């Protein structure tokens, strides 16, 4: 499967989140045929919710909308590699495949010690290795494009 179109959609959604005043992250969920069934953006700022990461928002919506058996056939696309919190939400929701754009380590290189992104520097693959459910992680995909939505964003918080 060519992931480029779907991962680029997450970049567009991340840009929308940024325009709305949120951190530039987004995610979407596809069914087994690759059809987009849900989309979510980061809402940390506008919802005043530090857990309002795109993937966590998406997994909350997915778990309310679909059963676990269906979700295990789905793929989550994320503009950036899921953090530890989001990886946990994905794990508990039973999604078995993730495709991401920007690596967590590259996000950390961009944000550094920025107080708006106190990253726990741990790749999602390491988080999933500790679980009992196998989760396939594909990425980075189009990482140079994934960086673009972050350009000059984090400077405003320094």
């Amino acid at each position: 499967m060519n992931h480029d179109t779907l991962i680029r959609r997450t970049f567009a959604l991340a840009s929308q989140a940024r325009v709305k005043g949120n951190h530039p992250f987004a995610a979407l969920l596809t069914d087994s045929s690759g059809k987009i069934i849900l989309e979510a953006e980061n809402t940390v700022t506008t919802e005043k919710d530090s857990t309002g990461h795109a993937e966590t928002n998406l997994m909350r919506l997915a778990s309310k909308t679909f059963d676990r058996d269906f979700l295990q056939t789905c793929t989550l696309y994320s503009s950036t590699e899921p953090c530890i919190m989001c990886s946990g939400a994905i794990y508990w929701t039973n999604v078995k495949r993730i495709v991401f754009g920007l690596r967590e380590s590259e996000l950390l290189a961009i944000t550094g010690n920025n107080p708006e992104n106190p990253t726990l520097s741990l790749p999602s693959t390491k988080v999933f290795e500790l679980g009992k459910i196998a989760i396939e992680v594909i990425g980075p995909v189009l990482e140079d494009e994934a960086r673009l939505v972050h350009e000059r964003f984090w400077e405003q918080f320094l």
Side-chain angles (χ1 to χ4, degrees), residues 2 5 11-12 16 20 24 26 52 57 62 65 69 98 102 113 128 137 152 158:
N2 183 336
T5 300
F11 304 159
Q16 289 177 14
K20 293 174 185 174
N57 288 340
T65 307
D69 289 337
I98 301 165
L102 186 69
N113 290 326
F128 295 131
V137 179
R152 295 182 302 281
L158 295 176

Side-chain angles (χ1 to χ4, degrees), residues 49-91:
D49 177 3
S50 59
T51 68
H53 293 195
E55 301 92 338
T56 301
N57 288 340
L58 185 67
M59 292 298 91
R60 283 187 193 118
L61 183 57
S63 66
K64 292 176 184 178
T65 307
F66 303 109
D67 66 40
R68 290 177 51 80
D69 289 337
F70 175 75
L71 289 170
Q72 74 179 349
T73 69
C74 296
T75 300
L76 182 146
Y77 287 82
S78 181
S79 60
T80 303
E81 183 175 8
C83 71
I84 295 170
M85 176 183 68
C86 293
S87 294
I90 294 163
Y91 180 85

Side-chain angles (χ1 to χ4, degrees), residues 41-57:
E41 299 173 6
N42 179 287
T43 57
V44 166
T45 304
T46 56
E47 295 293 323
K48 297 180 174 68
D49 177 3
S50 59
T51 68
H53 293 195
E55 301 92 338
T56 301
N57 288 340

Side-chain angles (χ1 to χ4, degrees), residues 16-148:
Q16 289 177 14
R18 181 177 173 162
V19 167
K20 293 174 185 174
N22 289 299
H23 299 165
F25 302 102
L28 61 83
L29 193 67
T30 66
D31 64 16
S32 59
S33 69
K35 178 185 173 202
I36 298 172
I37 55 175
L38 293 173
E39 296 179 333
E41 299 173 6
N42 179 287
T43 57
V44 166
T45 304
T46 56
E47 295 293 323
K48 297 180 174 68
D49 177 3
S50 59
T51 68
H53 293 195
E55 301 92 338
T56 301
N57 288 340
L58 185 67
M59 292 298 91
R60 283 187 193 118
L61 183 57
S63 66
K64 292 176 184 178
T65 307
F66 303 109
D67 66 40
R68 290 177 51 80
D69 289 337
F70 175 75
L71 289 170
Q72 74 179 349
T73 69
C74 296
T75 300
L76 182 146
Y77 287 82
S78 181
S79 60
T80 303
E81 183 175 8
C83 71
I84 295 170
M85 176 183 68
C86 293
S87 294
I90 294 163
Y91 180 85
W92 289 110
T93 306
N94 207 33
V95 172
K96 303 282 175 122
R97 187 193 314 172
I98 301 165
V99 180
F100 68 85
L102 186 69
R103 284 175 287 167
E104 179 73 17
S105 60
E106 289 299 309
L107 176 64
L108 181 58
I110 292 167
T111 62
N113 290 326
N114 194 303
E116 283 292 305
N117 188 46
T119 297
L120 292 167
S121 184
L122 185 65
S124 60
T125 52
K126 296 293 183 192
V127 175
F128 295 131
E129 285 173 6
L130 300 172
K132 295 179 180 180
I133 300 168
I135 298 177
E136 179 183 11
V137 179
I138 300 168
V141 174
L142 302 176
E143 191 166 42
D144 289 338
E145 290 181 39
R147 278 187 193 92
L148 296 176

